[in-house]
Amino acid sequence: MKVLIVGSGGREHAIAWKIAKSLRVEKIYCAPGNAGIAQIAECVPIGAMEFEKLADFAKEQEIGLTVIGMDEPLVGGIVDVFEQRGLRVFGPRKDTAVIEGSKVFSKNLMKKYGIPTGAYETFSDAGAAVKYLETSKYPIVVKADGLALGKGALICNNFEEARDAVRTLMLDKQFGASGDQVVIEEFLTGREVSVLCFCDGTTIKTMTSAQDHKRAKDGDEGLNTGGMGTFSPTPFYTKEVDEFCKKYVYQPTMDAMKKEGRDFKGILFVGLILTPDGPRVLEYNARFGDPETQVVLPRMKNDIVEVFEACIDGKLDTIDLQFEDNAAVCVILASGGYPEKYEKGFGITGLDAFDGKEDYFCFHAGSKFGADGKIVTNGGRVLGVTALGKDLKEARANAYAAAEWVDFDNKYMRHDIGKAIDEA
Ligand code: GLY
């Protein structure tokens, strides 16, 4: 079978790597891909939002399965376009991806079906939002309704900050129409956990847990980023937490979507926070996490193409999802200055150090081929260095050792990815 992956980040590189292990796959294409993905897939210069062009390509090449990695095309309805063209595609339709595309939708869904989450109010009028904030308890969180590159949730310590956040999102439109509405939500404290789930519309199966590090600097300081590193599993996601979430979060979410006439097929990414009062859902995403995928898929035993197909065909109940009894840590190597201003185009050296090493991976996020054919930096997050180990401590030591194998000008990383495990 020929497979097409839509996306260009470290997540899509990890998905491509995993798909390449399937005996059922003869060729992989990725649109648009990057220089790392190009080592295992043919990269096609079609943008992720060019749905008709992508569907034309899939028809011409007789693609047997298309996997959508990114949020924007999913929320924009790429799956609907592919289905209308009679193409097999893995991911939720537009009316279902709204669980990520609209925080107002997802919070109202949780409220309606009793899924544990923080208390909140929604506003489509900035004046009404500010009036509500005058009598609110602080800190509080102001969230843009729509997609905002992971930067749409603003933690506000006092009224002035919250008023400014409303102004930034709703009036200055920092994220365009995503700020037409806001959710104002109670500030919850606890450890955050990411759980990615395969869904076939009826059955939901959880993958192993992971934890992201969203802030740019050590000690969770600095600005929010797309994610500076991950580890899996997280010891804080205990058997009790898993049982609670299976009973009150995962299946209830699937059932709720079904009752709303929105059968969820694809990946449901549940962002949890483990509060002193129990787990609460912080957010849903309708796709694989980045960089969670870079630590979860290297631990997965199954042929992922079989699992994708089972989801599409409504047969996920026949799959016994299994993960290795080991651990993985991913350290993101970023361009100095990220997530603000940074330079691109620096040569990357040392990539061949990963060749032939089964427990080490260098997933490319922002890379491309330079004019001389050599690989250069091409983004804020450049590489995700992942290593396996028998436990988290070993995986972390391996990942940090491997992070030194590669180099580029202005290379920047956090040095405390997975440090939380020392406290477990
Ligand atoms: N790592 C968070 C996300 O993928 O949204």
Side-chain angles (χ1 to χ4, degrees):
M1 179 202 301
K2 293 183 195 168
V3 178
L4 169 66
I5 301 165
V6 176
S8 60
R11 164 184 49 209
E12 287 76 24
H13 193 177
I15 294 170
W17 167 81
K18 187 68 182 157
I19 287 175
K21 295 179 92 65
S22 171
L23 297 175
R24 308 177 52 204
V25 173
E26 69 188 78
K27 182 158 172 94
I28 307 174
Y29 296 92
C30 187
N34 62 38
I37 296 173
Q39 287 155 33
I40 42 177
E42 184 175 327
C43 292
V44 186
I46 307 176
M49 297 305 285
E50 297 183 279
F51 301 167
E52 293 296 343
K53 277 194 193 168
L54 288 166
D56 288 344
F57 176 83
K59 277 275 178 205
E60 280 156 23
Q61 298 298 328
E62 298 179 342
I63 300 291
L65 172 68
T66 298
V67 179
I68 315 299
M70 296 166 69
D71 51 7
E72 223 188 323
L74 288 168
V75 170
I78 190 170
V79 169
D80 307 57
V81 171
F82 270 59
E83 286 184 350
Q84 280 151 20
R85 301 277 300 268
L87 291 158
R88 266 169 90 72
V89 56
F90 177 79
R93 292 180 189 146
K94 185 175 182 170
D95 70 348
T96 313
V98 70
I99 202 167
E100 171 164 9
S102 169
K103 297 218 169 353
V104 171
F105 172 88
S106 65
K107 292 294 288 187
N108 287 345
L109 184 88
M110 288 186 262
K111 187 191 241 175
K112 183 170 172 185
Y113 292 94
I115 297 162
T117 189
Y120 73 101
E121 293 292 335
T122 67
F123 297 91
S124 53
D125 176 73
V130 171
K131 198 162 174 39
Y132 173 78
L133 289 168
E134 282 170 3
T135 54
S136 295
K137 264 176 55 188
Y138 289 88
I140 205 163
V141 188
V142 180
K143 292 180 172 175
D145 174 47
L147 298 182
L149 306 168
K151 296 178 193 159
L154 306 169
I155 297 167
C156 308
N157 291 305
N158 51 49
F159 169 72
E160 287 72 26
E161 284 181 20
R163 184 194 53 204
D164 290 350
V166 167
R167 182 179 299 139
T168 303
L169 297 175
M170 300 191 84
L171 302 179
D172 300 344
K173 298 277 183 207
Q174 186 179 2
F175 302 108
S178 289
D180 286 353
Q181 295 185 82
V182 291
V183 171
I184 299 182
E185 190 173 342
E186 75 173 304
F187 177 73
L188 298 172
T189 52
R191 291 201 178 275
E192 290 186 30
V193 177
S194 303
V195 179
L196 311 181
C197 314
F198 286 103
C199 308
D200 74 355
T202 305
T203 302
I204 180 163
K205 295 213 169 177
T206 55
M207 296 181 232
T208 181
S209 62
Q211 189 175 322
D212 192 6
H213 298 65
K214 293 198 175 100
R215 299 297 191 99
K217 296 187 183 159
D218 285 15
D220 290 328
E221 301 282 341
L223 295 172
N224 257 337
T225 70
M228 292 299 293
T230 38
F231 62 89
S232 171
T234 164
F236 306 105
Y237 188 80
T238 58
K239 200 163 165 285
E240 291 70 36
V241 173
D242 185 52
E243 277 165 12
F244 178 92
C245 292
K246 281 192 170 125
K247 191 162 172 196
Y248 297 109
V249 177
Y250 308 135
Q251 194 64 48
T253 302
M254 284 290 287
D255 296 345
M257 289 296 275
K258 205 173 188 51
K259 283 197 189 119
E260 297 292 312
R262 300 168 192 259
D263 286 7
F264 194 102
K265 288 190 180 202
I267 300 294
L268 181 70
F269 167 155
V270 184
L272 295 164
I273 184 160
L274 310 181
T275 78
D277 300 323
R280 300 281 182 272
V281 177
L282 274 184
E283 63 172 0
Y284 293 117
N285 296 312
R287 38 122 188 129
F288 282 103
D290 192 348
E292 284 87 344
T293 304
Q294 290 88 311
V295 286
V296 168
L297 292 191
R299 301 187 53 229
M300 184 176 161
K301 290 186 183 176
N302 306 68
D303 178 331
I304 199 166
V305 173
E306 270 176 30
V307 185
F308 286 149
E309 296 220 284
C311 291
I312 294 170
D313 296 331
K315 293 182 178 157
L316 185 58
D317 59 328
T318 64
I319 298 283
D320 179 18
L321 211 52
Q322 290 194 356
F323 289 82
E324 302 284 354
D325 185 20
N326 59 3
V329 170
C330 172
V331 178
I332 295 293
L333 305 185
S335 301
Y338 172 77
E340 294 184 287
K341 225 169 153 245
Y342 56 85
E343 289 179 67
K344 301 193 270 194
F346 297 119
I348 305 175
T349 56
L351 291 168
D352 49 8
F354 290 83
D355 293 349
K357 294 195 177 73
E358 279 197 353
D359 290 350
Y360 295 84
F361 313 85
C362 186
F363 295 121
H364 291 224
S367 74
K368 69 171 188 179
F369 291 104
D372 58 1
K374 297 211 173 107
I375 297 178
V376 299
T377 63
N378 190 37
R381 290 190 294 176
V382 178
L383 305 169
V385 171
T386 295
L388 298 172
K390 66 176 184 306
D391 55 24
L392 282 163
K393 284 195 176 146
E394 188 178 282
R396 186 170 131 207
N398 291 345
Y400 274 108
E404 299 300 334
W405 299 346
V406 271
D407 204 12
F408 52 86
D409 285 359
N410 295 347
K411 176 174 117 178
Y412 173 77
M413 69 181 122
R414 273 182 64 159
H415 290 89
D416 61 349
I417 303 302
K419 199 155 183 275
I421 57 183
D422 297 343
E423 300 155 27

